[in-house]
Amino acid sequence: ATDLILPALGGGLTWDTSSFASTGVISIVSGDPYNAWASGYGLAGADALKSADPDKDGVNNLLEFATNSNPTSGSSGARVYAKMHSLGGDSVLTYTIASRKTAVFAANGSTQEATKDLVKYTVEASNELTGWTTVVVTEVTGGDATAVQAAITPALPTLDADWEWHTFRTDGGTSIDPSDFIRLKVAEAP
């Protein structure tokens, strides 16, 4: 057996060798799942750009891709849901977002960040809407995340296969911190 050595590709391209053993075919495919997503919605040309907003709902294609929204429907905004929920005996601000499947969020200072499929997710919070690094955000997991997600009404929509829900919370409950705000930012990852 001889190893197949292929040169590195740039521009978000990767080698697809999945058919090589059976057919001898090797192909080059886009390494950015955004392209297949945009194509699946029939987006082409300028409407397919990550910065475009073809449905004119104020949400660009990158954010709609990142949160499993429909870029051709003006009524389908980013899939993010804030909710006051009781955790640890106090009412806390929670934030549930759709993100690409298997995105791993980790603390970066006070924020939670993940990079998946060339999308950088940042969940951050504030007490006064000016400084977004003063309130600590943590991910809610396990039974607490399930409880928060089940309590959101109307019910969370079913996500496509390549997305999943993640829930976060701000540091203090309403008993000690009555003025938290939370948001999601997405950016293209290099």
Side-chain angles (χ1 to χ4, degrees):
T2 305
D3 288 338
L4 180 63
I5 300 173
L6 299 170
L9 298 172
L13 302 175
T14 61
W15 292 105
D16 180 356
T17 59
S18 61
S19 298
F20 182 69
S22 61
T23 66
V25 173
I26 298 171
S27 58
I28 298 173
V29 296
S30 171
D32 186 348
Y34 172 87
N35 296 328
W37 173 85
S39 177
Y41 280 103
L43 301 179
D47 282 346
L49 296 174
K50 291 179 180 179
S51 60
D53 181 14
D55 58 5
K56 311 235 182 302
D57 62 358
V59 180
N60 70 29
N61 286 341
L62 181 63
L63 181 55
E64 297 213 64
F65 167 72
T67 63
N68 191 214
S69 298
N70 181 342
T72 63
S73 169
S75 64
S76 173
R79 290 189 169 164
V80 296
Y81 302 87
K83 175 157 185 58
M84 296 302 298
H85 193 81
S86 182
L87 293 173
D90 199 356
S91 185
V92 300
L93 178 59
T94 66
Y95 198 54
T96 299
I97 68 166
S99 70
R100 294 293 289 169
K101 192 165 229 159
T102 70
V104 177
F105 284 85
N108 180 6
S110 61
T111 67
Q112 288 286 316
E113 294 182 351
T115 299
K116 180 69 178 175
D117 294 333
L118 302 178
V119 176
K120 180 181 179 186
Y121 295 86
T122 303
V123 180
E124 57 191 7
S126 173
N127 283 320
E128 74 293 317
L129 296 176
T130 56
W132 287 91
T133 59
T134 56
V135 175
V136 175
V137 175
T138 55
E139 187 167 7
V140 178
T141 59
D144 284 342
T146 301
V148 170
Q149 293 168 18
I152 293 172
T153 55
L156 291 174
T158 301
L159 298 175
D160 293 336
D162 292 327
W163 286 264
E164 64 190 3
W165 295 110
H166 285 266
T167 298
F168 303 89
R169 63 163 290 174
T170 56
D171 57 358
T174 56
S175 64
I176 60 168
D177 192 3
S179 65
D180 281 350
F181 303 91
I182 194 165
R183 70 180 181 185
L184 169 67
K185 290 188 344 182
V186 298
E188 287 187 70

